[in-house]
Amino acid sequence: MATGTRARPQGQARWRARDRRRGPARSRRLATATLVVLGLAVLLVPLVARLDQSQVDLHSASLPPGLAHPFGTDEMGRDVLLRVVYGLRVSLLVGLVAAAVSATIGTLVGLAAGTLGGMADRVLMRVVDGFNSVPHLLFGIFIVALFSPGATAVVVSVGLTHWMTAARIVRSEVLTLRSRPFVDAAISAGSGRTRIVLRHFLPHLGPHIALTAVLMVPHAVWHETALSFLGLGLPPHLASLGNMINDGARSLLAGDWWPSLFPGLFLFLPTLAISSLAQHWRDRSDPRRRSELQL
Amino acid sequence: MIRALARMAAWRLLFAVPLLFAVTMGMFALAKASPFDPVRQYLGDRALTTSPEIAERIRANWGLDRPLIEQYLTWLGNLVRGDLGDSRSLHRPVAEVIGDRLGWTLLAVGCALVLMLAGSLVAGVAAAWRRGSWLDRVITGTAYANEAAPVFWTGLLVIWLFAVKLRWLPSGGLTDAASTTVEPGDVLRHMVLPVAVLAFSQSSWLVLFVRESLIGTLREDFVIGARARGLRERTVILRHALRSALLPFITLVGARVPELVTGAILVESVFSWPGVASASVQAALSADFPLLAALTLLATLAVVAGSLLADTAYVFADPRVRVLGVS
């Protein structure tokens, strides 16, 4: 929303006044700016960087942050800033794919449960409960441990542990859609179940699924980072945020804080930005919260 | 009421049995689909020099040549009888490994839970009481930031500050590396950081929940009534509003056991705490199926027990349920 000082009727301006308190607007702009800067860095830095992120230079190992290396160098003499950007790129890519996988699984299960109803619904929802009863990280560790480690195992492990939220959301949306008149009309006009799902349910579900998937990306990135940190994720030579924090932990006891601080910061800042934007969006879309903001 | 409670517990257990059954089946299926060969893993480097006949004999000994269903039923039967098998990476019975480590995990997680509940109650009430003040902003801001910070990263920063820089507390382990005995004072010093980090990392949602819930309750009629009767502000908030605001919170704490397990895995790994949660990581790194399966099952049991305990506590806490019974 625009935040300028456009002229508006007196009453409305007062009504909106509290909603435009400087705090939330500022934090919203800060969150957007963070995401834009990080997004640009992830996209552009690998194109323009003159240094090689994996280049080992033992002469400049473990240098504290300075002019030549703004985030310092790790114990192998690699530039931490460059590696962090590459790491975010890798973690984000894995997170995006994993979020897409889990949103797809969730959508299929939720659609099946909501559309079929009855026994199928009950069984599928019990399956969702069952999956929720096993701690996600432990289940992820279990999957990764038994398959050869690597990006695929991480994506599968995140996909299999995060689809339940999407399934619940899609199911409840389908249940409300089912009672809408246009669905009755489609049934009276002779549409079959498949057609109703494809032509009537899916287009309505689209925005919900997209939002769920976007909100799942930080979770997926977190999950990947945690697995990599434990040594169970991406191969150790690859610069991912989790691998870097894991590497940094080793030099931490020698007093080098920068190799572990910055990768974590690059995970922490975007997560905070996304959650603050999501919070704002939720506040705006929930009428009770909105009235609370305005009063 | 006891009968209603028993009925609820029986229902939950009835759900837990097929759940645990499904978990064992899922784990077994995953293990069978995995490309790891347990015999080869058992032999390690010797796999290259061992003759195929001997490998076959080990396979037959372990029953790996029998049909899958039979293997599963044998494994399940052993599990039910309490024989959890041998850990392949630690070369000890799984039951022994868990017996050695479970106590340390329960100690650390228990202390963290108490600290987390007490700390978040105080912080949440303070934030709701002084809503909109700088205190409220600091508390909610910290909670949101904490929610976004990965616990293993927070743990590392805490180690850097308190163990490396200030040298106040040890960076990890159960006792000093040089000591051969387990002294309570030594363990206590080693416990401070992991317990504090685990409690802090789990507290943010609780602080936000207590704050939201209390703010909502403060608008209710009975609170306005209490204020109108001229009661002190402290009495109104602590005796009237908070008691009602905390009801849903009991169920929520029970539902957070999975997150607690996740937090314990990461915190125990960061601080090299010798508990069961960090054992699961070690088991995973060496594809130790018997140990990993037992630990996953243990965690699932903890989740089921957590929600059952929370529901039981709810029955005692909510007078409406206590008098009218469980619906």
Side-chain angles (χ1 to χ4, degrees), chain B residues 68-153:
Chain B
L68 275 184
I69 266 291
E70 204 183 314
Q71 285 185 41
Y72 172 65
L73 289 179
T74 320
W75 178 66
L76 192 67
N78 287 339
L79 214 61
V80 170
R81 265 180 276 126
D83 176 9
L84 302 174
D86 289 327
S87 155
R88 287 179 200 148
S89 60
L90 302 170
H91 303 290
R92 288 170 64 202
V94 169
E96 216 178 284
V97 174
I98 293 182
D100 273 1
R101 289 171 162 258
L102 189 61
W104 296 124
T105 295
L106 289 180
L107 178 69
V109 171
C111 291
L113 207 59
V114 172
L115 190 64
M116 162 188 119
L117 291 176
S120 7
L121 266 181
V122 173
V125 171
W129 200 333
R130 300 265 174 264
R131 189 184 172 197
S133 69
W134 64 268
L135 184 69
D136 179 23
R137 255 176 282 156
V138 167
I139 291 175
T140 40
T142 314
Y144 277 122
N146 184 19
E147 192 99 298
V151 55
F152 45 95
W153 182 61

Side-chain angles (χ1 to χ4, degrees), chain A residues 5 8 37 41 62 82 87 178 186-187 190 208 217 228 232 258 275 281 292:
Chain A
T5 48
R8 54 168 82 242
V37 167
S62 301
L82 207 53
R178 273 173 74 133
I187 295 174
H208 294 280
V217 172
S228 296
L232 290 161
W258 53 95
S275 78
W281 183 83
E292 211 171 277

Side-chain angles (χ1 to χ4, degrees), chain A residues 15 283-284 286-295:
Chain A
W15 179 244
D283 284 350
R284 289 207 73 86
D286 180 353
R288 228 179 61 199
R289 299 287 296 267
R290 194 166 57 211
S291 68
E292 211 171 277
L293 278 179
Q294 284 162 349
L295 289 175

